Amino acid sequence: MRVLLSVLVLTFAAPLSAEILAQQLPGFYQQLKAEQQFSAAWRPDSAQSIQQWRTEARQLLRDALLWPEQPLDFAAEQLMVEQRDGYQAERWQLNLTPENRVTVSVLRPAGEGPFPAVLLLHDHGAYFLIGKAKLIKPFARDPDLAKAEAWTKRYYDGRFIGDELAAQGYLVLAADSLGFGERGPLNADAQQALAANFFQLGRSLAGLAAYEDLRLAAFLAQLPQVDNTRIAALGFSMGGFRAWQLAALTDDIKAAATISWMTTSDTAMTPGNNQLRGQTAFWMLHPGLAAKLDYPHLAGIAAPKPALFISGAKDRLMPAAGTEQAFATMRQIWQAHGAGEKLVTELWPEYGHQFSAAQQQRVWRWLEEVFAKPAAADNH
């Protein structure tokens, strides 16, 4: 009997040294990855129509937010105004959820409108001191101005892309996500705790961020100064993720441009990938959803809307092989809608994780083409 017990102990103890890998992956993660069959993904040989798939997949995504629909008056109030060259900068307060009344930045072109509009979604960058100020230039005496200028020099070639768009005639809106700018600031440790505490409450940080983006899109769509047939979402890095996610979630968004955020779960789960660190990943991981839909499947819910994806081949956060694989999956979905030409995917050979002046000009040209005239109603 003693011999048998010894054998059993050895049998169960042997794997423990590799149970958790250096990057906090379970030692059996490859087996779990193999079980990810993405059961709700669109497949060309499916008997299900692409329209039915879109409806059901969108509902899966919406349910995964763990945030119930709560009809609520925005009760928007203008706080400040600053005249700029050809447009006006404004600060507003509005209700995003029953618990959150937030300050947003709006840039309004000169003239009567209605104007095409762009909802700008800020990046993460492990820099919480500012959020919307990464995209829209703060007011002249704002203490965040120097921080914002330094950030744009690092990732945006020194340009405030919101101001660039407003000068072209777009009404622009940006807000801080929870924990950033006026709604923070967090730090790395506090971010992990915040995400965990949302789980304790039966919700998720990613779900709140996505739900608030939905509310921002709805706010834009009901403004009388906005042409609600021409509203785009645009973002870089985590903001790019938020842009395509929002286009998937709501038809208030008619087009989306994503810079430096598209990959596959397989690539994201490769040792060395940034998504394995937790941290920023908590803003993008909806509990249980990755068992049913991969990132390109989720982005494909936005089809057949116009969508632009630009990535850098030298982006260390989004390895090119995963990006190209995701692009190929997305093309199948847009093609199934008969709208293959509405999906534009570009891998820039000499670029890394950035939204350069050249890439900005590419986006501006694309927006001009997409919004050259009011869009036809989306029948899906």
Side-chain angles (χ1 to χ4, degrees):
M1 188 65 163
R2 290 196 200 97
V3 173
L4 178 59
L5 286 174
S6 298
V7 171
L8 286 174
V9 169
L10 286 172
T11 300
F12 287 106
L16 290 180
S17 61
E19 191 167 327
I20 298 178
L21 302 183
Q23 290 200 277
Q24 316 312 315
L25 279 165
F28 49 90
Y29 83 98
Q30 290 286 10
Q31 292 96 309
L32 297 182
K33 282 177 70 174
E35 293 172 12
Q36 274 186 301
Q37 299 299 314
F38 304 118
S39 59
W42 163 252
R43 291 178 172 82
D45 59 355
S46 172
Q48 185 182 41
S49 72
I50 189 65
Q51 291 82 10
Q52 182 184 2
W53 173 82
R54 183 181 193 252
T55 299
E56 293 179 4
R58 174 178 278 183
Q59 192 61 52
L60 278 175
L61 174 56
R62 181 62 186 84
D63 291 345
L65 304 191
L66 304 179
W67 218 270
E69 189 69 38
Q70 298 168 295
L72 179 68
D73 187 349
F74 291 108
E77 176 187 8
Q78 189 181 91
L79 303 178
M80 296 176 63
V81 173
E82 180 180 86
Q83 294 300 323
R84 298 183 181 175
D85 189 11
Y87 59 97
Q88 179 170 284
E90 304 170 356
R91 286 171 60 85
W92 288 74
Q93 275 192 342
L94 56 101
N95 297 324
L96 285 188
T97 71
E99 305 82 12
N100 291 292
R101 183 168 177 81
V102 305
T103 302
V104 303
S105 293
V106 175
L107 301 178
R108 188 193 308 267
E112 295 298 319
F115 306 104
V118 179
L119 175 54
L120 291 179
L121 302 157
H122 68 73
D123 60 68
H124 189 290
Y127 191 67
F128 300 97
L129 295 178
I130 54 175
K132 61 184 180 294
K134 297 175 179 180
L135 304 165
I136 291 178
K137 187 175 182 178
F139 279 41
R141 293 184 177 84
D142 193 316
D144 287 335
L145 180 57
K147 302 183 195 77
E149 289 175 337
W151 193 255
T152 61
K153 287 178 182 176
R154 183 174 180 181
Y155 287 110
Y156 298 86
D157 273 357
R159 300 163 184 250
F160 288 98
I161 62 172
D163 293 74
E164 296 278 329
L165 285 163
Q168 297 172 45
Y170 294 93
L171 188 144
V172 180
L173 171 68
D176 294 325
S177 289
L178 183 66
F180 289 84
E182 296 174 70
R183 303 179 70 190
L186 286 170
N187 58 40
D189 289 341
Q191 174 180 233
Q192 303 274 38
L194 178 65
N197 289 331
F198 266 113
F199 289 142
Q200 298 275 23
L201 294 165
R203 304 294 180 91
S204 77
L205 181 55
L208 173 66
Y211 183 73
E212 289 190 345
D213 289 346
L214 274 170
R215 289 280 291 165
L216 291 168
F219 175 69
L220 261 184
Q222 55 86 52
L223 285 177
Q225 302 89 354
V226 167
D227 177 354
N228 62 17
T229 70
R230 297 190 289 169
I231 301 176
L234 166 62
F236 158 70
S237 194
M238 183 183 79
F241 171 93
R242 294 167 63 194
W244 64 250
Q245 177 180 252
L246 189 56
L249 279 166
T250 176
D251 289 329
D252 286 337
I253 297 298
K254 306 301 182 184
T258 291
I259 315 303
S260 297
W261 213 111
M262 181 45 64
T263 190
T264 64
S265 292
D266 185 60
T267 304
M269 292 298 293
T270 301
N273 190 277
N274 193 55
Q275 284 291 92
L276 296 186
R277 297 172 57 229
Q279 304 296 357
T280 62
F282 284 117
W283 299 87
M284 296 169 272
L285 294 176
H286 302 291
L289 190 60
K292 299 175 182 178
L293 293 163
D294 200 355
Y295 296 120
H297 306 143
L298 292 167
I301 299 169
K305 300 173 188 177
L308 171 65
F309 288 79
I310 295 176
S311 290
K314 295 183 177 180
D315 188 338
R316 290 179 296 173
L317 301 182
M318 295 280 150
T323 299
E324 290 183 308
Q325 185 180 347
F327 285 171
T329 298
M330 290 156 55
R331 276 194 289 274
Q332 288 185 334
I333 299 174
W334 262 264
Q335 288 166 359
H337 281 281
E341 77 287 351
K342 291 186 179 179
L343 174 66
V344 180
T345 59
E346 298 180 355
L347 195 63
W348 289 42
E350 299 304 317
Y351 284 75
H353 199 72
Q354 63 195 107
F355 191 11
S356 69
Q359 291 169 324
Q360 291 166 31
Q361 291 304 313
R362 175 69 183 99
V363 174
W364 308 161
R365 291 194 303 273
W366 178 81
L367 281 172
E368 187 176 3
E369 293 166 5
V370 168
F371 289 159
K373 57 183 178 180
D378 185 350
N379 295 321
H380 300 297

